[in-house]
Each structure stands twice: as structure tokens, then as C-alpha cells.
Amino acid sequence: MSKLDIQNREDIELLVNTFYDDVKQDDTIGYIFQETIGDDWSHHMPIMYQFWESVLLGKATYSGNPIQKHIKLDQNIPLKEEHYGQWLNLWTSTVDKLYEGEIADLAKNRASNMVHLIKMKVEMARSGKSIL
């Protein structure tokens, strides 16, 4: 049976919820989220829904600076290559598990691009260069 593509906010919420359920259990990156967010995800999840709805469906519901957030995170918990890679692996496998189609492909491509950009900006910030 073929899967549907990502189409609406409900699809975004299922994707994000499923992804973070896996993240919380992950040996490589789960502790980062546990230390940063703790047990109360009620603030984080709506932000992630808005972010991905903006990125994938063009709805202007997100306003924030994910690069700055990750730079601050890196100052407390140094982000390593394996963290970025595992995040992207989990995201890609979650998208593939739930959806297929043009927007699903976009979700994987945008995530990959964001990982590379955030990693670059975090490394620049570490070396004292411009961060934005």
C-alpha cells in the first residue's frame, strides 16, 4: 500500500510527534533533548509544528531563530558530527516510514540543508566569527 504525502498541519504533527518519540529513546542524541527540554515538551512541540508547517507548507506560523538556538545549545552541550548525523538519520527514516511524495522529499532535503547550515554557523560561532 502506498503512503500519502504530507498535506496539512495534522500530517506535520504526526511527523514531528513520531520523530521526537524516536529522538527521546535515542542513545546518541536523546540526552541532549532530555537535558535541554526535560520531561515537559508542551512548549517545544508547538514550536516544532509551526517551524515545519512554515518550511514545508509555506504557512507563516513560525517566528524564531533556530541557528541562534543551536549556537546557545552548543555552548552548554557541544554538538558533534554524530549528533547532526543521527538527527538527520532519524528525521529521514521517520519521513520515509510515514510519507512519500514531493513534500516528503522536500522535508528530507530541507532538513539536510538545515543541518549543514546550523553546523556551519555553530562552528563559526565557536571560532568567534560572525554567527548570523
Side-chain angles (χ1 to χ4, degrees):
M1 184 163 103
S2 68
K3 298 173 219 149
L4 297 175
D5 201 356
I6 299 166
Q7 300 174 32
N8 53 42
R9 171 72 177 233
E10 290 75 26
D11 293 340
I12 297 287
E13 289 183 12
L14 176 62
L15 173 60
V16 169
N17 290 340
T18 305
F19 170 70
Y20 280 110
D21 285 345
D22 290 343
V23 164
K24 290 174 190 176
Q25 306 301 318
D26 187 76
D27 292 337
T28 304
I29 63 173
Y31 78 94
I32 296 171
F33 290 86
Q34 181 61 38
E35 288 184 30
T36 306
I37 298 170
D39 293 327
D40 182 6
W41 287 63
S42 62
H43 178 71
H44 186 69
M45 297 306 282
I47 294 169
M48 293 298 93
Y49 303 150
Q50 291 171 343
F51 176 80
W52 286 107
E53 186 178 39
S54 297
V55 168
L56 299 178
L57 301 179
K59 311 260 179 170
T61 56
Y62 174 79
S63 63
N65 188 333
I67 291 171
Q68 191 63 42
K69 295 265 188 211
H70 286 87
I71 289 169
K72 287 185 184 214
L73 170 63
D74 180 67
Q75 292 167 355
N76 295 321
I77 304 169
L79 298 174
K80 300 176 183 169
E81 186 65 40
E82 61 262 24
H83 298 143
Y84 295 110
Q86 184 63 1
W87 185 95
L88 190 56
N89 287 340
L90 289 173
W91 179 259
T92 300
S93 66
T94 304
V95 172
D96 287 341
K97 180 169 45 175
L98 297 172
Y99 301 107
E100 65 182 3
E102 188 176 330
I103 298 175
D105 290 341
L106 182 65
K108 294 181 285 186
N109 290 334
R110 292 262 167 99
S112 178
N113 290 342
M114 283 185 287
V115 163
H116 295 298
L117 178 63
I118 289 171
K119 188 172 92 163
M120 181 185 72
K121 294 290 189 174
V122 164
E123 289 171 3
M124 289 173 70
R126 284 180 184 168
S127 66
K129 295 191 171 87
S130 173
I131 57 174
L132 298 176

